[in-house]
Amino acid sequence: MAHKPRKEMIAETRAKLVAAARHAFGTVGYAEASMDDFTASAGLTRGALYHHFGDKKGLLQAVIAEIDAEMLARLKIVSARADTLWQGFVDECTAYIEMALEPEIQRIVLRDGPAVLGDPSQWPSQNECIRSMSENLQKLRDEGTIVAVDSEAAARLVSGASLHAAQWIANSEDPEATSKKAVKAFNVLLEGLLKQGRRTGRPQVLAEIGEEGRP
């Protein structure tokens, strides 16, 4: 039987390690995941892990990169379903925040990731996120939907707000309730980007948010 090409074998080994680690990180968490256990479950050794990812931290980065790519693909589908570019932008941002309710994303990306890898806003994946969001905001500005605002500055602020909202949900004692409050407040903030004549006006929503925030 002919041997598989080396490149294909390397890809298969990396995929096995990422899948095993993703399962372990998602079920018991990064700190409790045993490298010996999850490499053995993939039919591999610690040596393979060190060779391909450097260490456990490098493997976590690879797992998060894979989850990030899947999230991005899902978000593109969400925005593509909308009738307008603005609604697609709002729906995509909202969907990102609501993904914080999913156990795997909650634990790996929003809790263990920041604890081990540091500030998510400095992760390489954020560069693509900011670039894509900047482009969309520039299009919205060019078509006259939003106010004349620097697209990169707005993208960084919106991205930061959505990331903090997601982390708030992930670390909340009641993620479902927190998600509802976060999404409602976030959408009110987004509406502030719209030109005056395009705003729907939400005094009732603002009033409700004010009521919910009172002790």
Side-chain angles (χ1 to χ4, degrees):
M1 180 181 286
H3 290 293
K4 293 180 180 178
R6 177 174 169 75
K7 187 175 181 181
E8 186 178 333
M9 290 176 68
I10 290 173
E12 284 186 3
T13 299
R14 288 179 63 89
K16 284 180 181 178
L17 284 167
V18 169
R22 181 170 175 171
H23 175 73
F25 297 160
T27 52
V28 300
Y30 176 85
E32 297 300 320
S34 162
M35 289 193 288
D36 287 330
D37 287 347
F38 67 70
T39 52
S41 72
L44 300 165
T45 64
R46 268 197 189 212
L49 186 157
Y50 294 138
H51 176 72
H52 291 283
F53 299 101
D55 54 17
K56 187 180 178 184
K57 184 176 176 180
L59 188 50
L60 175 64
Q61 290 176 312
V63 169
I64 289 178
E66 181 176 84
I67 296 174
D68 268 344
E70 292 170 4
M71 291 170 68
L72 179 60
R74 290 169 59 190
L75 292 172
K76 284 184 176 179
I77 292 172
V78 169
S79 62
R81 284 200 299 252
D83 293 331
T84 65
L85 183 59
W86 170 252
Q87 192 57 53
F89 181 76
V90 173
D91 290 349
E92 184 174 339
C93 291
T94 301
Y96 171 80
I97 293 173
E98 291 177 337
M99 283 180 181
L101 291 171
E102 298 178 24
E104 184 183 57
I105 292 173
Q106 199 175 92
R107 176 171 236 161
I108 299 176
V109 180
L110 298 170
R111 292 211 299 262
D112 285 349
V116 177
L117 304 176
D119 182 5
S121 68
Q122 301 303 311
W123 294 356
S125 59
Q126 281 299 300
N127 292 330
E128 172 59 24
C129 176
I130 296 298
R131 185 198 63 76
S132 175
M133 191 176 287
S134 296
E135 286 182 359
N136 286 332
L137 286 168
Q138 187 61 50
K139 289 176 184 176
L140 286 164
R141 178 180 169 176
D142 292 343
E143 72 177 21
T145 298
I146 65 172
V147 295
V149 61
D150 183 88
S151 59
E152 182 184 352
R156 290 186 179 278
L157 292 171
V158 171
S159 177
S162 60
L163 174 59
H164 280 289
Q167 289 183 296
W168 179 34
I169 294 164
N171 292 284
S172 171
E173 292 183 1
D174 188 349
E176 287 282 354
T178 302
S179 176
K180 290 177 182 176
K181 289 191 288 186
V183 167
K184 186 180 288 186
F186 184 80
N187 283 329
V188 171
L189 290 177
L190 280 189
E191 192 157 315
L193 287 169
L194 290 172
K195 284 191 172 180
Q196 195 68 40
R198 292 176 177 267
R199 295 178 189 175
T200 59
R202 298 187 179 181
Q204 183 58 40
V205 171
L206 287 167
E208 288 173 5
I209 291 172
E211 289 293 334
E212 289 170 2
R214 292 174 189 166

